Amino acid sequence: MNRVKKLSGIIFLSVLMAGIFSCKNDSKEEEKQVAEVKVQKDEDYRPNFHFTPKKNWMNDPNGMFYLNGTYHLYFQYYPDDNVWGPMHWGHATSKDMITWEEQPIALFPDEKGYIFSGSAVVDRNNTSGFGEEGKTPVVAIFTYHEPEAAKEGKKDYQSQAIAYSLDEGQTWTKYEGNPVIPNPGIENFRDPKVIWDDINQQWLMALATTEKALFYTSQNLKDWKKLSEFGENTGAHDGVWECPDIFPMRVQGSDEQKWVLIQSLNPGGYNGGSGTQYFVGDFDGKEFTPVSGMEALEEKHPFWIDFGRDNYAGVTWSNIPDEDGRKLFLGWMSNWLYAEKVPTTTWRSSMTIARELKLIKEGDRYLLTSEPVEELKKYRGEKIQKKDIAVSGNTVVLDSEEVDLAKVEIRFNIKDLEATTYNFSLSNDGGEEFIISYNHPKKEFTMNRSHAGKNDFSDEFAAENSTAPRISDAQNLNAILIIDKTSIEMFFDNGKTVITEIFFPSQPWTDFSFTGLEDFRVDSLEAYELNFEKEEQNSEENREEEDI
Ligand code: FRU
């Protein structure tokens, strides 16, 4: 038994005795002990490093662009309550996509409607004509949602509109000619994602409607023409298609170029509720044609950007310089099944860690992988390294005395998979645990959060376990786990299977353990506490360390 466990045992006993022997005892010492076992809630649940608004409700990331050293993140925001309401665009900025500074609200609803999800582009050549005095306009493209029309049962309650900023995204002016794409009589007509399509020299928009993505083209961001549609006959459709993204990508290790269409849907995700699938194909400037094998994917296909329950509506940053060349992505770390009920009150929801997407080809299959952005490494504290760990029964490999399990990066590698089950878990002294099991013969991960703390706020949160297929056939399993107070993001096999899940333990996690039906060995494990206050103290050495 480690010191933490002993200590909490003592605390537990003292609390019990305090309760039995004297309700009136007000000695300072006992007050302190009682305080130490208090159940976590609200501010205790605020993530250490994932973005949350200071106050109230947030959902989708919006308008993500990079300019002059700053990453911008806008988000669906309701500043007056901790549940969804009249949508604004909140705003946050960052130098590295990891630590964020909340900015004043960027876009407010008006007489034309709420401001729903959308994107932003840097209009370098002033094609829109919004530029003045040599200032480069940044143009936001969003959906107007008319709540009254929607309530009256009309179909045409959503349209696309634009706004521009001449001060690098701080303040915005809505275009007087809005909407730029009026509603053509289609219900669910929203979430425009615009890119500069350099190959075809056009502004290209992907838009979502119930069962498909629509593509539009423009030369000036004001006049739009419909090009084509995609998706009615392929992929998951057990809900409404929302928040698309489209972009060209080079296949790793080759000169081949393909196009990727990211397509969220709700409900109907891999584990029910909200989820984000993707398609790989070719785009000739007008039409998106999926690669062979992706023309008629079944509902439960393997092409999801994240198989977990808590990564939705994610899209990529625009205007990343060519010298950088990365595709950078971030999603909303929640699920419409329970997002409005999670046990926080001052704020609700956080974003995922920023991720780098890569397109790879294995055999004749194209896969989109994701891993945490490199920038996270500069927050690493000391390296903890363990090699050749023998797992027999429940084996604690890290505890909260060695590393704070509420802000940690753990990497491990298991070679020569031979056992049937590999379980790993986070647990605390209150008997709560979050368990991930990998069943090797089935090539399937299962996530169980039914005893991981508070879950009675929703019937949907933990009633069933979630699952994810292992995409890789490799004999070695490698993992990167990014753990915050209320979330775990798991990247297996260099980001081929990604799983993001949230939880609300009543006390912080104290142990990270492995167990299985048979004994096995973990060949290597590294852990780094992530420190956000003293960035400069983190050693150079740890940043450059070869990953396992
Ligand atoms: C996705 C979504 C979008 C919409 C926004 C409204 O989570 O439903 O389709 O624009 O949220 O807040």
Side-chain angles (χ1 to χ4, degrees):
M1 192 192 259
N2 64 37
R3 202 165 62 81
V4 177
K5 282 195 180 149
K6 269 193 210 138
L7 197 72
S8 55
I10 294 167
I11 292 170
F12 177 73
L13 261 179
S14 344
V15 173
L16 203 71
M17 309 244 299
I20 294 170
F21 293 118
S22 165
C23 296
K24 289 198 183 107
N25 190 330
D26 60 1
S27 98
K28 285 259 165 357
E29 192 45 34
E30 278 181 8
E31 264 179 25
K32 191 170 155 260
Q33 288 173 346
V34 172
E36 279 182 55
V37 288
K38 95 174 173 2
V39 167
Q40 298 201 105
K41 56 179 196 248
D42 238 291
E43 283 307 312
D44 304 330
Y45 283 143
R46 194 186 283 274
N48 277 317
F49 58 99
H50 287 81
F51 177 72
T52 53
K54 288 199 183 73
K55 276 195 190 146
N56 288 322
W57 172 264
M58 172 177 82
N59 55 290
D60 315 356
N62 294 151
M64 290 149 65
F65 73 93
Y66 170 87
L67 186 59
N68 296 334
T70 302
Y71 294 88
H72 292 261
L73 165 66
Y74 299 83
F75 48 90
Q76 288 287 279
Y77 188 43
Y78 184 40
D80 299 327
D81 204 348
N82 60 12
V83 288
W84 190 90
M87 283 289 111
H88 300 54
W89 274 24
H91 183 203
T93 53
S94 172
K95 294 289 173 203
D96 59 8
M97 298 171 282
I98 304 295
T99 49
W100 292 96
E101 222 174 288
E102 195 168 342
Q103 303 290 340
I105 292 175
L107 290 170
F108 289 79
D110 58 42
E111 69 293 344
K112 289 183 180 156
Y114 298 170
I115 315 292
F116 269 23
S117 286
S119 51
V121 292
V122 177
D123 183 14
R124 294 199 171 282
N125 297 324
N126 194 22
T127 61
S128 61
F130 290 136
E132 277 168 29
E133 297 159 13
K135 288 184 195 146
T136 302
V138 183
V139 179
I141 309 94
F142 59 89
T143 298
Y144 263 129
H145 171 89
E146 290 178 66
E148 292 312 321
K151 264 185 231 143
E152 286 162 21
K154 292 187 182 152
K155 287 201 161 167
D156 58 355
Y157 55 86
Q158 291 177 338
S159 60
Q160 318 318 319
I162 58 178
Y164 63 93
S165 169
L166 296 178
D167 57 4
E168 303 195 0
Q170 277 311 110
T171 59
W172 296 84
T173 307
K174 288 173 187 144
Y175 174 49
E176 72 226 352
N178 279 338
V180 292
I181 307 185
N183 189 295
I186 304 180
E187 212 182 347
N188 296 320
F189 182 68
R190 58 177 177 261
D191 308 338
K193 177 71 163 86
V194 174
I195 61 158
W196 173 250
D197 167 9
D198 203 38
I199 303 166
N200 304 294
Q201 293 289 302
Q202 61 181 343
W203 292 110
L204 174 66
M205 178 195 291
L207 194 67
T209 178
T210 310
E211 73 292 10
K212 54 199 171 194
L214 310 178
F215 301 113
Y216 288 76
T217 180
S218 174
Q219 285 303 322
N220 60 10
L221 295 162
K222 294 172 176 162
D223 303 303
W224 291 92
K225 194 175 129 235
K226 187 171 164 195
L227 291 172
S228 60
E229 305 183 344
F230 167 78
E232 220 168 339
N233 303 313
T234 183
H237 280 279
D238 230 352
V240 173
W241 280 25
E242 304 181 314
C243 299
D245 193 356
I246 185 165
F247 44 84
M249 258 187 129
R250 204 158 286 288
V251 179
Q252 291 289 303
S254 90
D255 285 337
E256 190 183 8
Q257 182 159 268
K258 287 283 167 205
W259 284 70
V260 174
L261 173 68
I262 292 179
Q263 186 57 71
S264 286
L265 95 151
N266 178 67
Y270 191 84
N271 283 291
S274 316
T276 303
Q277 57 189 333
Y278 66 87
F279 303 91
V280 180
D282 294 298
F283 182 71
D284 62 3
K286 289 198 173 104
E287 277 183 44
F288 179 84
T289 313
V291 292
S292 116
M294 274 190 159
E295 317 88 337
L297 295 173
E298 318 235 306
E299 290 281 328
K300 206 96 179 168
H301 63 75
F303 304 105
W304 297 80
I305 219 161
D306 195 314
F307 292 90
R309 287 173 276 203
D310 296 294
N311 181 356
Y312 190 57
V315 285
T316 58
W317 263 279
S318 71
N319 204 44
I320 299 298
D322 289 345
E323 315 84 80
D324 180 323
R326 290 178 296 172
K327 273 283 150 213
L328 300 165
F329 169 99
L330 166 147
W332 174 48
M333 198 150 58
S334 197
N335 190 314
W336 282 114
L337 285 176
Y338 43 75
E340 291 182 298
K341 300 182 194 156
V342 297
T344 64
T345 51
T346 37
W347 89 99
R348 275 230 174 84
S349 304
S350 62
M351 295 299 183
T352 65
I353 203 76
R355 301 169 182 191
E356 180 180 354
L357 304 181
K358 287 185 181 155
L359 184 61
I360 60 167
K361 192 172 181 190
E362 280 193 343
D364 54 7
R365 195 157 75 153
Y366 294 89
L367 295 170
L368 193 61
T369 66
S370 42
E371 289 197 295
V373 291
E374 284 288 312
E375 283 84 341
L376 186 61
K377 289 187 182 166
K378 71 182 191 196
Y379 295 94
R380 284 175 170 181
E382 223 168 276
K383 174 176 179 172
I384 299 170
Q385 187 158 37
K386 309 205 173 180
K387 291 220 154 104
D388 210 14
I389 306 163
V391 177
S392 186
N394 189 63
T395 308
V396 178
V397 288
L398 285 169
D399 67 40
S400 49
E401 274 184 39
E402 291 174 279
V403 66
D404 186 345
L405 292 168
K407 45 174 184 158
V408 64
E409 169 187 346
I410 302 173
R411 293 178 175 239
F412 65 80
N413 192 6
I414 302 174
K415 287 192 189 144
D416 304 323
L417 296 167
E418 273 165 4
T420 56
T421 6
Y422 297 83
N423 300 336
F424 53 101
S425 65
L426 288 162
S427 56
N428 65 20
D429 293 328
E432 296 168 343
E433 56 181 347
F434 178 82
I435 312 162
I436 301 102
S437 305
Y438 172 58
N439 181 319
H440 188 46
K442 269 178 92 180
K443 286 187 73 195
E444 186 175 74
F445 297 93
T446 302
M447 278 60 61
N448 180 340
R449 61 182 176 193
S450 61
H451 295 96
K454 248 195 143 1
N455 61 26
D456 57 358
F457 52 87
S458 146
D459 291 342
E460 320 261 20
F461 186 74
E464 286 181 30
N465 294 339
S466 61
T467 62
R470 179 164 187 236
I471 302 289
S472 170
D473 292 322
Q475 265 308 106
N476 297 351
L477 175 74
N478 67 51
I480 304 174
L481 312 180
I482 306 295
I483 302 167
D484 202 328
K485 285 187 199 166
T486 54
S487 62
I488 182 165
E489 295 165 271
M490 301 174 258
F491 304 84
F492 294 103
D493 301 311
N494 307 318
K496 288 182 199 161
T497 297
V498 179
I499 305 165
T500 301
E501 300 251 319
I502 58 173
F503 38 59
F504 300 92
S506 347
Q507 299 170 39
W509 301 125
T510 48
D511 293 333
F512 175 73
S513 321
F514 283 98
T515 180
L517 289 179
E518 305 97 341
D519 294 351
F520 62 90
R521 298 191 97 74
V522 176
D523 293 87
S524 55
L525 179 138
E526 284 173 15
Y528 303 89
E529 188 164 302
L530 299 167
N531 293 313
F532 297 90
E533 293 82 39
K534 4 172 217 190
E535 182 191 333
E536 68 286 353
Q537 288 173 22
N538 296 336
S539 74
E540 263 315 296
E541 193 190 314
N542 282 340
R543 285 183 223 176
E544 281 157 21
E545 206 63 55
E546 267 295 288
D547 298 336
I548 58 169

